[in-house]
Amino acid sequence: VETYPYNRYHPMGEIYQWMSLIREKYTEVVTQHFLGMTYEARPMYYLKISQPSRNHKKIIWMDCGIHAREWIAPAFCQWFVREILQNYQDNSRIRRLLKKLDFYVLPVLNIDGYIYSWTTDRLWRKSRSSHNNGTCFGTDLNRNFNVSWCNIGASKNCADLTFCGTEPVSEPETKAVSSLIESKKKDILCFLTIHSHGQLILLPYGYTQNKPSNYEELIQVGQKAANALKAKHGTNYRVGSSVDILYATSGSSRDWARDIGIPFSYTFELRDNGTYGFVLPEAQIQATCEETMEAVLSILDDVYEKYWYSNSAG
Ligand code: 0X9
Ligand code: ZN
């Protein structure tokens, strides 16, 4: 674990090994949990970081790599786990968060697609499910969640990049994530899904111009996070609802999470702004992860405060 290069991209085999190493080294705070199998029958695991506590804890969810080619996303999930684990004993900010929050981190959601992007097509986006008698492959897993399914910004043609699948939650990967999130939703305070690229912090919704009930709060928390991010290395991010500052989408995990009642739900689009796009050079991994860490910690501080402040259980 000490020698694992966090400033490199890693093929899936190394990420599986990394998860085992992390779980073995930090047995007292980390557990590894099976979530389901992918279409091509690979196991999906998330890491749970949790300190024993008498408090009733809330959950922070983070997934990376729902889109195969966005390699910086899994790199960030791994970075995040390392930062938390290396610092939770000495860093009072992280220690405080862990007293009342558990982190659930899914480093690679779209494992089959991620592997395909390493072996065959660097710019592959979707999963690898087979459609139309094997004439086209892959569902856009971020169009397959059960929210306004395939109504806008998604396609019913399996050859398209935004193919929404054959029905809501038709894919094993989205089934696995949906059922876990559904079963824990009362305790999940914050849902973070990490993508690239575009340098954006997006809040619900993508499928409608309507705003969630806590829109103002989501904007405030998001803007503060963007400011913290910029303070690190000067990188500019924009903050806004998905449909306003990006484009219309339906069936995204973030909108679905908000609509089942998770109060704070954000999509991050990490670096860059188009120069390298999905093929962000490894030389930028460290700075990207450092600044994103600042943004995520800012959100966590805020949701922690807001939750325990507005809730007498704290
Ligand atoms: O199109 C997407 O799924 C995301 N962009 S990406 O370039 N990473 O593929 C944007 C998702 C934002 N979410 C919604 N608009 N609901
Ligand atoms: Zn994406």
Side-chain angles (χ1 to χ4, degrees):
V1 182
E2 282 82 5
T3 58
Y4 190 80
Y6 287 87
N7 55 355
R8 305 291 298 269
Y9 296 120
H10 295 275
M12 196 60 217
E14 292 180 14
I15 299 177
Y16 277 122
Q17 284 171 15
W18 169 82
M19 280 195 265
S20 306
L21 290 174
I22 286 282
R23 147 171 63 82
E24 284 157 17
K25 169 151 190 204
Y26 297 97
T27 45
E28 69 288 4
V29 274
V30 178
T31 46
Q32 184 180 5
H33 300 264
F34 178 73
L35 193 64
M37 298 298 264
T38 68
Y39 181 83
E40 293 177 332
R42 298 185 176 94
M44 301 168 69
Y45 302 104
Y46 65 94
L47 295 174
K48 174 179 175 183
I49 307 178
S50 175
Q51 282 262 68
S53 158
R54 284 162 45 245
N55 297 312
H56 176 75
K57 287 186 283 177
K58 296 302 250 185
I59 295 168
I60 306 297
W61 170 266
M62 183 189 295
D63 64 76
C64 294
I66 192 171
H67 288 140
R69 62 193 174 187
E70 301 167 7
W71 288 8
I72 187 63
F76 178 69
C77 262
Q78 294 171 80
W79 186 282
F80 176 82
V81 167
R82 193 232 355 218
E83 286 297 303
I84 297 294
L85 294 175
Q86 274 189 351
N87 294 309
Y88 79 97
Q89 281 160 324
D90 305 331
N91 178 319
S92 59
R93 186 184 190 188
I94 293 175
R95 207 168 55 222
R96 171 172 167 272
L97 293 173
L98 270 180
K99 280 191 184 145
K100 291 181 178 174
L101 303 174
D102 288 343
F103 300 124
Y104 288 36
V105 180
L106 175 57
V108 185
L109 194 159
N110 177 9
I111 294 172
D112 297 345
Y114 186 71
I115 290 175
Y116 193 76
S117 75
W118 275 81
T119 59
T120 312
D121 178 356
R122 174 67 185 83
L123 291 180
W124 192 257
R125 164 185 174 90
K126 299 186 283 180
S127 70
R128 289 296 300 163
S129 53
S130 168
H131 302 279
N132 271 5
N133 303 312
T135 56
C136 54
F137 290 88
T139 294
D140 184 343
L141 300 177
N142 208 31
R143 301 292 184 277
N144 190 237
F145 284 82
N146 192 13
V147 60
S148 186
W149 180 76
C150 224
N151 279 332
I152 190 170
S155 165
K156 289 197 166 138
N157 178 349
C158 62
D160 287 343
L161 272 181
T162 57
F163 177 52
C164 58
T166 51
E167 59 182 26
V169 208
S170 55
E171 306 305 304
E173 296 86 355
T174 49
K175 274 196 183 84
V177 171
S178 296
S179 65
L180 177 76
I181 300 288
E182 185 72 47
S183 74
K184 308 262 181 200
K185 68 181 176 187
K186 286 198 185 62
D187 288 323
I188 303 178
L189 187 55
C190 181
F191 182 98
L192 301 175
T193 180
I194 314 296
H195 290 246
S196 74
H197 57 92
Q199 299 176 192
L200 306 167
I201 297 176
L202 301 169
L203 42 113
Y205 292 106
Y207 69 87
T208 172
Q209 299 280 350
N210 296 345
K211 303 302 176 212
S213 54
N214 62 338
Y215 175 75
E216 295 301 330
E217 189 179 43
L218 285 166
I219 290 276
Q220 257 177 38
V221 169
Q223 192 55 57
K224 194 167 148 194
N227 295 343
L229 187 153
K230 181 174 176 143
K232 191 75 184 177
H233 296 300
T235 309
N236 284 307
Y237 267 59
R238 288 184 297 139
V239 180
S241 82
S242 222
V243 62
D244 293 342
I245 69 167
L246 189 56
Y247 42 65
T249 59
S250 52
S252 77
S253 64
R254 182 213 50 234
D255 287 354
W256 174 77
R258 183 64 191 80
D259 276 351
I260 63 166
I262 296 171
F264 296 93
S265 184
Y266 293 97
T267 307
F268 274 70
E269 296 283 355
L270 304 186
R271 289 193 197 185
D272 59 13
N273 232 333
T275 309
Y276 296 100
F278 302 113
V279 192
L280 189 72
E282 287 187 327
Q284 291 196 42
I285 294 176
Q286 177 171 344
T288 303
C289 290
E290 284 171 354
E291 68 195 11
T292 307
M293 195 70 203
E294 295 300 323
V296 170
L297 286 175
S298 168
I299 290 177
L300 298 183
D301 284 346
D302 276 357
V303 301
Y304 177 104
E305 290 291 335
K306 284 175 189 295
Y307 178 75
W308 294 101
Y309 190 69
S310 64
N311 189 312
S312 54

